[in-house]
Amino acid sequence: MTESTNPRLSDGTLLSDLINLETREVKMRTLSDPELYELEMERIFAKTWVFLGHETEIPNKGDFVVRDMGSDSVLMARGSDDNIYVSLNVCPHRGMKISTHDVGNTPVHVCIYHGWAFKPNGDFIGAPVDKECMHGNLLTKEQLGLKKARVAIYGGLVFATWNIDGPSFDDFLGDAKWYFDTLWCRTNKGMEVLGPPQRFTIRANWKTACEQSASDGFHVLTLHRWLSEVGPYRKPGSEGGGGDLTPEMYGSEVYTAHAHTMRCIELDRKIRRLTGKEPSELSVKEKLEALPPPGITPAMLPEMMERFSEDQLKLMTWRPPQVGNFFPNGLFEFVYIPTPDGVIGVMALHAYVPKGPDKLEFVNWILAEKDTPPELKAQMLRLGVQLLGTSGMVEQDDSDTWPHQTLAAKGAVSKNITLKYQAMYENAKPEGWPGPGDVGDGFTKDDTQWRWWQYWHELMTAKN
Amino acid sequence: MLQELLEPTPLPPSVRKNRIAIGSEAYNEVLNFLYDEAEMLDNLRLGEWAELLTKDLEYNAPLRHTRSTAHFAQTYSRNVQHLHENYGSMMMRVKRITDTKSAWGEDPPSRVKRMVSNVRVYTTDKPNELKVDSYLLVTRSRFDFDYFDLIPCERHDILRREGDSLMLARREILLDQVVIGTPNLGIIL
């Protein structure tokens, strides 16, 4: 992207009036403006790689789910060749939605309006009354297929883009891949979803959820304070159950060129508590045995350890990524939760699907490694439902915040108030940091979210 | 194996010949239970409500899917659900609201009306347990928003007699919406 433009909204406002790259401020108006929303759908969601789901949601030939890429509905289906295809869920004949179901299995998708038929891979099979040539004679059958997106499967996760000749998925992941491998590529068999995703609607702009998911740590101290009052981070014995989550916010934060970010939270305290020893005196193996990653049991460790470099294993036992995002609208949580039965991991992925300038759909998948023993899978799932998603005691506080930001973004005065991302790391990678990307060390800061807005700006101003 | 661990204990079927007559003493007792429960929950008397729960409580809200008429029975998913609770986790939900100063998702609390209707009561194989089917329409008003979030659902409950009172032992909530139209299920259904 060498050339850029400066889009102008109909009231004359330039995009550059909305974001101040020097002072790291963004006008509130960005969180509700309908014109900006339309631009985002074209310049971001129709251009970047978008997370749609997991391959284990559609294990058999003909299986499909209906998902969204920005404002467009798509079919994510497994073809007769076992590959996964993503096609626009719109009949090229008269624009009817091809599938009105959420999930199913069929070798042929037939549009209920005029009966045009398509394969799971999007190819046009034919229209009724073939001999009368209902599909006309101006275009070939090859030209009448569903519009196909480019698909990338990574660690079982399904991503797609309409940018057919654009950057590769690996380019898009960039430096994040080194870290993401330690999350999604831990075992030979890989991960599976433990069921279909939860879905619910929030009357808020998609960016409220997404900029937060770019590793905002500060909100945890106030918005999720209950975690230390009665929740899993309660400090036994302290008055009022503690109430201070500050110690949980130390570690390192990673941010990459394409605004994938992660909060890498220190495990030392947990390991000290579990082993009674100083982490520096323990080997990587000993640390992994004391506190394996979510979903991994000691029996699964030898296989897992073979898959990673020494540097990656160092990260996994020191400051593993626990919360973060993939741009534009994905979030991951691979967290270690203290429970009376020991530390239990929860693994969840979210997509925050834009549904208009004032509305988003929260989609929550809960996952485990395929090899995780069923009892542990069940525990991980229950804990995930309890803390995250629709009824989750952590995330119900987030989802009630975002609508207020979106409403404030409409006020004649408040729309010009700026979101501020001025808490900056004044240091770089901590000594011995094994991974790539930009890294800040110490207490959580705003750099990760600011990177999110920088990339948003880059895409919004890119000349097509 | 995982499925077995996740699936709630199957509810007994609602068989017409086991119906308890509308207006009978037992029916009215159930109706009182449901109305009192709604009143407690609507008025944030969560501690009082928690005393109505048995220690082996199962409390579930399956996901729904839009599927064809032929696949109507498969529109429920009981592995991942919206709510998947036992007594301990339900008490944590109650404690979060009653014992902290920072349960922001419900502070300030929603104004909620739980409207219970279409109540049908059945005897079961267990002499001390009744199966209760009902409809529930929840209206939820948040902040000064001029709209209501509506949460229509049906509930399939097992009420167990312990001593003089009825207790809630099992509840399955079948929500009408595939995509829930409220920002969270921070309220109890």
Side-chain angles (χ1 to χ4, degrees), chain A residues 254-306:
Chain A
V254 178
Y255 38 116
T256 64
H258 295 156
H260 311 302
T261 78
M262 55 209 94
R263 209 155 71 234
C264 302
I265 304 169
E266 185 85 50
L267 290 185
D268 285 359
R269 285 181 309 118
K270 283 195 174 80
I271 290 175
R272 218 173 270 130
R273 209 177 309 131
L274 288 164
T275 63
K277 292 182 183 159
E278 267 311 296
S280 56
E281 293 163 11
L282 297 168
S283 69
V284 157
K285 186 159 174 285
E286 286 169 325
K287 286 199 257 189
L288 282 172
E289 280 165 357
L291 185 59
I296 303 284
T297 60
M300 293 159 71
L301 282 174
E303 178 201 303
M304 190 196 84
M305 289 176 71
E306 264 182 38

Side-chain angles (χ1 to χ4, degrees), chain A residues 101-102 196-201 203 222-223 226 229-230 374-375 381-382 390-391 393 396-397 399-400 404, chain B residues 1 63 66 77 81-82 84 92-93 96 100 102 104-105 142-143 147 149 178-180 183-186:
Chain A
H101 301 174
D102 296 319
Q198 299 174 332
R199 298 165 67 195
F200 57 104
T201 295
R203 288 174 165 94
T222 43
L223 196 69
W226 79 274
E229 292 182 293
V230 299
E375 292 81 5
L381 173 55
R382 283 187 177 234
T390 328
S391 66
M393 288 186 284
Q396 56 183 258
D397 297 327
S399 58
D400 237 326
H404 291 296
Chain B
M1 173 70 177
L63 302 185
T66 305
S77 164
Q81 308 189 64
H82 288 297
H84 195 152
M92 179 57 93
R93 288 182 187 277
R96 188 180 108 93
T100 77
S102 50
W104 306 118
R142 293 291 285 141
F143 308 107
Y147 52 79
D149 290 344
V178 166
V179 183
I180 309 295
N184 54 56
L185 286 181

